[in-house]
């Protein structure tokens, strides 16, 4: 019997790309996800989750995940390993060699030479192991070209765009009993609300976002939804800029509860300012999540985001280092709010997961055919 195993190091409940790929793979063959997450079953989860509780130390956590992934596959058959992100590439490669099954590698990050967001060791690990993959997947064509050139791959990686499933559709993720109370707190925050949701790291441009908000009128506010290593530092920055009454910090929502939280806001924020190739050629799914919630988007001026906004006009672009101009851009977006909001439906109609899903299914089926042929 054909069986697919997905390896996911990050918390699966909050990994939209892993959820989408697992659902697509489940239409090919029974699929099991191995990694941190919950067993919650829902109509939007046509696969099985085999969860693991990992420790807090990032190095021990990684070793634990690798060991656990290998042990879970010692007995039983597996027809294909689908490794999500570079953390899963090593156990995925070992399982390919031990089990004699094909390996698909979804490279979330761009680790190619140049300015890098991750330690150089990961570049060398990926360069060594990526050749064992029967199919390499990346998030856009720009990344595919760079990765093929950097690793001298015979075949260009397959670009599966990082398009979030419409949050209005069937949702995945853990149930959260206190989610309605958190949404109510956002709705009661009586401001013109910008919202950032995601990993709380200063390198994501959150400090610059605070600078922008500090230059806006008092009737503008900021909602920050997320968790991460810089939460304490973020609180200190908010206090230093005297923005306590204008910034609301909210714990992250799983995807099944994210839609009402975003709908209670007015303008989504998607910033990737760090000077490395992974951010320069970013492929964030947040843009699609904001759009499905019906709110325009304030974006950093990266190449893929610039192309997207030039085509669909769903928001505005800002650059690092000029918060005064960025604040004027935010105010201008609210002045043109109806125009940009009216562009969202066309954007979602043309840029949607259905086409990418079929592309992914076709690529994986080709791996099976090659293996059987």
């Amino acid at each position: 019997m054909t069986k697919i195993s997905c390896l996911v190091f990050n918390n699966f409940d909050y990994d939209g790309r892993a959820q989408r790929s697992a659902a697509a793979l489940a239409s090919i063959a029974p699929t099991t996800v191995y990694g941190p997450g919950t067993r919650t079953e829902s109509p939007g989860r046509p696969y099985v989750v085999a969860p693991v509780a990992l420790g807090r130390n990032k190095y021990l956590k990684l070793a634990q995940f690798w060991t656990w992934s290998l042990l879970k596959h010692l007995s039983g058959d597996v027809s294909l390993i689908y490794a999500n992100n570079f953390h899963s590439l090593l156990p995925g490669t070992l399982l390919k060699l031990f089990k004699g099954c094909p390996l698909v590698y979804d490279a979330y990050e761009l680790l190619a030479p140049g300015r890098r967001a991750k330690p150089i060791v990961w570049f060398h690990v990926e360069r060594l192991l990526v050749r064992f993959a029967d199919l390499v997947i990346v998030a856009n064509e720009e990344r595919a070209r760079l990765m093929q050139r950097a690793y001298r791959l015979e075949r260009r990686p397959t670009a599966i765009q990082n398009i979030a499933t419409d949050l209005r559709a069937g949702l995945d993720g853990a149930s959260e009993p206190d989610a309605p109370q958190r949404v109510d707190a956002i709705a009661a925050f009586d401001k013109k609300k910008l919202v950032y949701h995601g990993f709380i790291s200063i390198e994501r441009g959150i400090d610059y976002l605070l600078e922008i908000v500090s230059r806006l009128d008092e009737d503008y506010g900021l909602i920050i939804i997320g968790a991460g290593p810089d939460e304490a530092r973020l609180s200190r920055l908010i206090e230093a800029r005297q923005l306590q009454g204008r910034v609301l910090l909210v714990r992250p929502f799983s995807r099944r509860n994210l839609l009402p939280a975003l709908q209670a806001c007015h303008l989504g924020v998607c910033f990737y300012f760090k000077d490395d190739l992974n951010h320069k050629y970013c492929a964030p799914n947040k843009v699609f999540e904001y759009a499905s919630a019906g709110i325009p988007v304030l974006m950093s001026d990266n190449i893929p985001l610039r192309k997207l906004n030039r085509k669909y006009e769903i928001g505005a672009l800002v650059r690092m280092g000029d918060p005064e101009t960025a604040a004027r851009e935010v105010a201008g977006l609210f002045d043109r709010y109806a125009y940009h909001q009216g562009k969202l439906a066309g954007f979602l109609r043309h840029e949607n997961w259905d086409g990418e899903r079929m592309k992914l299914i076709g690529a994986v089926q080709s791996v099976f055919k090659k293996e059987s042929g």
Side-chain angles (χ1 to χ4, degrees), residues 327-352:
R328 288 195 294 271
E329 195 63 61
V330 171
L333 264 177
F334 276 91
D335 291 339
R336 306 185 304 271
Y337 195 84
Y339 175 81
H340 293 292
Q341 193 173 44
K343 295 288 185 176
L344 297 174
F347 167 64
L348 291 172
R349 189 166 54 250
H350 290 97
E351 303 285 341
N352 59 73

Side-chain angles (χ1 to χ4, degrees), residues 25 55 119 144 168 175 178 261 276 284 359:
L25 295 171
R168 297 167 294 185
S175 60
D178 68 335
D276 60 62
K359 190 191 301 184

Side-chain angles (χ1 to χ4, degrees), residues 16-327:
R17 187 170 177 88
Q19 291 173 14
R20 293 190 296 275
S21 61
L25 295 171
S27 69
I28 302 173
T31 298
T32 302
V33 177
Y34 294 87
T38 63
R39 290 185 184 273
T40 306
E41 295 184 3
S42 70
R45 179 174 271 190
Y47 42 81
V48 175
V49 177
V52 60
L54 300 178
R56 298 182 67 85
N57 180 281
K58 63 180 180 180
Y59 300 110
L60 293 177
K61 183 178 175 181
L62 191 58
Q64 183 184 358
F65 171 71
W66 288 347
T67 304
W68 177 82
S69 298
L70 296 173
L71 290 175
K72 292 294 286 187
H73 290 84
L74 281 179
S75 60
D77 295 326
V78 60
S79 308
L80 182 138
I81 299 293
Y82 193 100
N84 290 272
N85 212 346
F86 60 88
H87 310 93
S88 302
L89 184 55
L90 177 59
T93 301
L94 293 175
L95 288 172
K96 171 189 169 70
L97 298 175
F98 294 159
K99 293 290 185 178
C101 62
L103 168 66
V104 177
Y105 172 48
D106 190 345
Y108 285 27
E109 310 275 352
L110 184 59
L111 305 177
R115 291 189 175 92
R116 280 182 290 272
K118 303 295 180 184
I120 194 171
V121 63
W122 288 117
F123 162 66
H124 291 299
V125 169
E126 187 177 66
R127 183 178 63 174
L128 176 67
L129 300 181
V130 71
R131 300 179 187 283
F132 289 94
D134 299 89
L135 172 66
V136 179
I137 292 171
V138 294
N140 56 38
E141 290 292 348
E142 292 90 349
R143 288 172 177 244
R145 287 193 294 271
L146 283 166
M147 194 171 184
Q148 182 183 28
R149 186 164 64 243
Y151 297 142
R152 298 180 181 178
L153 302 176
E154 290 185 11
R155 290 183 302 152
R156 179 174 291 185
T158 299
I160 304 295
Q161 289 192 81
N162 200 21
I163 298 178
T165 48
D166 194 327
L167 290 176
R168 297 167 294 185
L171 301 178
D172 200 354
S175 60
E176 298 165 309
D178 68 335
Q181 288 74 32
R182 284 184 281 150
V183 172
D184 288 345
I186 294 172
F189 196 64
D190 191 19
K191 303 281 185 183
K192 295 176 182 176
K193 286 172 284 218
L194 287 74
V195 58
Y196 168 92
H197 93 86
F199 192 57
I200 304 299
S201 172
I202 297 301
E203 71 178 26
R204 292 287 182 93
I206 301 177
D207 55 339
Y208 185 53
L209 183 55
L210 293 178
E211 286 189 55
I212 295 170
V213 172
S214 70
R215 286 162 170 80
L216 290 165
D217 293 340
E218 290 287 332
D219 58 342
Y220 287 86
L222 173 62
I223 307 294
I224 298 178
I225 301 171
D230 287 338
E231 290 178 59
R233 184 179 173 189
L234 175 60
S235 296
R236 292 194 296 270
L237 287 172
I238 291 170
E239 185 175 352
R241 291 190 171 91
Q242 299 182 326
L243 292 171
Q244 296 95 320
R246 299 177 61 192
V247 179
L248 181 65
L249 304 180
V250 184
R251 288 189 296 106
F253 294 88
S254 68
R255 282 183 55 78
R256 78 165 60 221
N257 296 311
L258 184 58
L259 179 63
L262 297 182
Q263 287 177 324
C265 302
H266 303 104
L267 184 65
V269 176
C270 185
F271 281 177
Y272 288 88
F273 287 119
K274 192 173 180 182
D275 189 19
D276 60 62
L277 291 174
N278 188 51
H279 288 78
K280 182 177 180 180
Y281 295 100
C282 65
N285 63 20
K286 292 181 180 62
V287 173
F288 302 92
E289 292 170 342
Y290 293 139
S292 65
I295 59 175
V297 191
L298 183 72
M299 296 165 275
S300 51
D301 191 10
N302 306 76
I303 293 172
L305 294 177
R306 188 188 311 147
K307 288 169 60 178
L308 199 69
N309 198 54
R310 185 182 297 142
K311 185 175 182 179
Y312 295 107
E313 299 181 280
I314 58 171
L317 303 168
V318 295
R319 294 185 177 181
M320 190 71 167
D322 190 357
E324 292 285 355
T325 299

